[in-house]
Amino acid sequence: MKRELYLLLLSALGFSAACDKENEPNQVCMYGTPRIDFRIQGKVTDPAGNPIPGIEIRNEDRSYGKDNTALTDEKGLYDISGSAFSPEFNLSFHDIDGPENGGDFETETLSVKFTDEELTAPGSDSWFNGTYTRTGADVILTEKNSEEEE
């Protein structure tokens, strides 16, 4: 009885803890949560339009144990890809080197919500919902106010 309650709880959460193919060859073994693959490209600039190198972009979803990150290059361009649990998640933009890149910039968040038009490869089953691609996801960072830091 205790095992059945445990399995019921796990299945309600989207997990399967028991898969006995040896004794039950027709059993379907599934676990986890549906996912998407994504690729997002853009440019990070200051309010004057100057590119900002060395900005770290993070997928705050951090799906499947991966810490998806990217850095802007000398032209402020970034390209981040990975997996997410949903076509809706947040990317955060962090100035990790302070004034070395021309300023000390505030952290910004970009809310991503992929549309059907951005689906570049359909999913293969109910666990993989496809690949989404977005270009032109540009972000403008503002400098930190030095008075707030004091």
Side-chain angles (χ1 to χ4, degrees), residues 43-138:
K43 185 173 186 176
V44 179
T45 60
D46 64 16
N50 301 311
I52 307 173
I55 297 297
E56 182 181 69
I57 299 94
R58 295 182 201 154
N59 171 9
E60 293 299 332
D61 187 35
R62 297 183 188 189
S63 330
Y64 301 98
K66 297 178 185 173
D67 184 12
N68 300 117
T69 60
L71 285 175
T72 56
D73 64 14
E74 66 280 348
K75 296 178 183 176
L77 300 175
Y78 74 92
D79 186 338
I80 186 168
S81 59
S83 295
F85 293 124
S86 161
E88 296 182 41
F89 57 92
N90 292 316
L91 291 181
S92 61
F93 295 77
H94 301 269
D95 184 357
I96 59 173
D97 64 2
E100 290 180 33
N101 59 9
D104 194 10
F105 297 94
E106 295 282 350
T107 296
E108 289 289 329
T109 301
L110 174 66
S111 294
V112 176
K113 183 176 182 180
F114 285 111
T115 64
D116 291 341
E117 292 78 28
E118 295 170 314
L119 179 65
T120 54
S124 56
D125 56 41
S126 61
W127 295 104
F128 176 60
N129 294 327
T131 301
Y132 292 81
T133 303
R134 177 177 294 173
T135 57
D138 299 339

Side-chain angles (χ1 to χ4, degrees), residues 19-27:
C19 185
D20 189 0
K21 281 291 197 184
E22 188 175 313
N23 295 321
E24 297 181 46
N26 295 326
Q27 181 182 17

